Amino acid sequence: IYNYSTTPNFELINTTLDLQFDNNISLYYNTTNGTLEEYIDAGEYELTLTGEGYEDNNYYLTINQLTTMNAYLWETGECSEVDFTVQDITGQSIDDAKLSFYKKINNSWEVVTEKKTDISGIGQVCLDSNTYQLFVEKEGYATWTGEFEPTQSSYTITLGGTEYGTYTFNDIFEGISYYYTPIELQQYGTTNFSLVTSSEENNIQT
């Protein structure tokens, strides 16, 4: 467990770890010299890190084999709370969407904090003024990715379509419907889309 506020020479710190399993079973551990080695049953876990003088931090883990990870905590006052609202293309809030924030550390991108949205579609995280890569994931939706430096206290992110990236609209005008889908998905850069229109009542000229 590292003190993020001492970048680039990260200091190991002692913290309390709460590993939550199935939303009702918690396993508590204390680090020794900033590290912890423990045998844990395979499964999905929410990891909460707490330490006196530090902001709480969250991670979400899938453990199915030997796993090694780095985790980070900000000193109190070294980061600011930022709200992220996640919604669909109709403006409806999306709960339980996972936001993962990556920071470039020693020339590689590492996840430094994660959060899931609440019933109002809001996830609040503590960030400093650095460049982050953000990944927003929710089953049934295409993953949203972006790179940014937090300059606002709140952001809104829209997830569209299904996990396969298809958006469908029906009966827009005189029975015409259309859908569009990426020909190929790319994490960065330009994504090419295919647009298909159809109508049971009229001929369509394109």
Side-chain angles (χ1 to χ4, degrees):
I1 314 297
Y2 292 100
N3 181 349
Y4 184 89
S5 301
T6 59
T7 179
N9 300 311
F10 296 104
E11 298 175 354
L12 289 168
I13 55 175
N14 288 325
T15 61
T16 299
L17 288 74
D18 174 9
L19 274 173
Q20 191 172 85
F21 180 68
D22 283 345
N23 294 321
N24 55 16
I25 301 174
S26 286
L27 306 172
Y28 293 95
Y29 302 96
N30 290 310
T31 59
T32 302
N33 296 324
T35 63
L36 173 70
E37 183 175 337
E38 190 69 34
Y39 292 99
I40 301 172
D41 291 339
E44 303 279 340
Y45 292 87
E46 177 181 359
L47 170 63
T48 301
L49 302 170
T50 59
E52 185 176 354
Y54 296 92
E55 301 285 350
D56 292 354
N57 201 5
N58 278 76
Y59 292 88
Y60 299 93
L61 311 176
T62 300
I63 298 176
N64 53 23
Q65 58 184 358
L66 179 63
T67 302
T68 301
M69 69 168 289
N70 295 329
Y72 300 89
L73 289 179
W74 281 267
E75 293 180 3
T76 301
E78 292 296 316
C79 59
S80 301
E81 300 290 350
V82 183
D83 290 338
F84 291 84
T85 300
V86 181
Q87 63 183 25
D88 63 18
I89 56 177
T90 68
Q92 296 296 310
S93 61
I94 299 176
D95 65 344
D96 206 37
K98 185 175 75 171
L99 300 96
S100 300
F101 297 83
Y102 287 76
K103 174 74 173 64
K104 202 165 192 178
I105 298 173
N106 295 327
N107 296 318
S108 63
W109 291 94
E110 289 193 38
V111 59
V112 293
T113 187
E114 292 185 302
K115 193 71 174 180
K116 287 188 177 180
T117 56
D118 59 19
I119 193 171
S120 300
I122 298 174
Q124 186 179 78
V125 296
C126 202
L127 301 174
D128 62 1
S129 56
N130 273 294
T131 299
Y132 294 88
Q133 285 183 359
L134 171 58
F135 291 75
V136 183
E137 301 172 88
K138 169 71 174 183
E139 185 177 358
Y141 296 87
T143 298
W144 188 98
T145 64
E147 188 171 305
F148 78 108
E149 181 176 340
T151 58
Q152 305 170 196
S153 60
S154 63
Y155 293 87
T156 298
I157 295 171
T158 301
L159 301 184
T162 69
E163 58 187 322
Y164 304 105
T166 300
Y167 306 73
T168 303
F169 300 85
N170 296 306
D171 299 323
I172 302 299
F173 177 72
E174 293 186 354
I176 298 174
S177 63
Y178 68 91
Y179 72 86
Y180 59 95
T181 184
I183 297 174
E184 58 179 349
L185 291 175
Q186 299 182 25
Q187 184 170 329
Y188 302 105
T190 301
T191 298
N192 295 320
F193 282 80
S194 174
L195 172 65
V196 177
T197 59
S198 62
S199 173
E200 296 179 355
E201 302 176 13
N202 297 281
N203 293 325
I204 299 177
Q205 294 182 347
T206 60

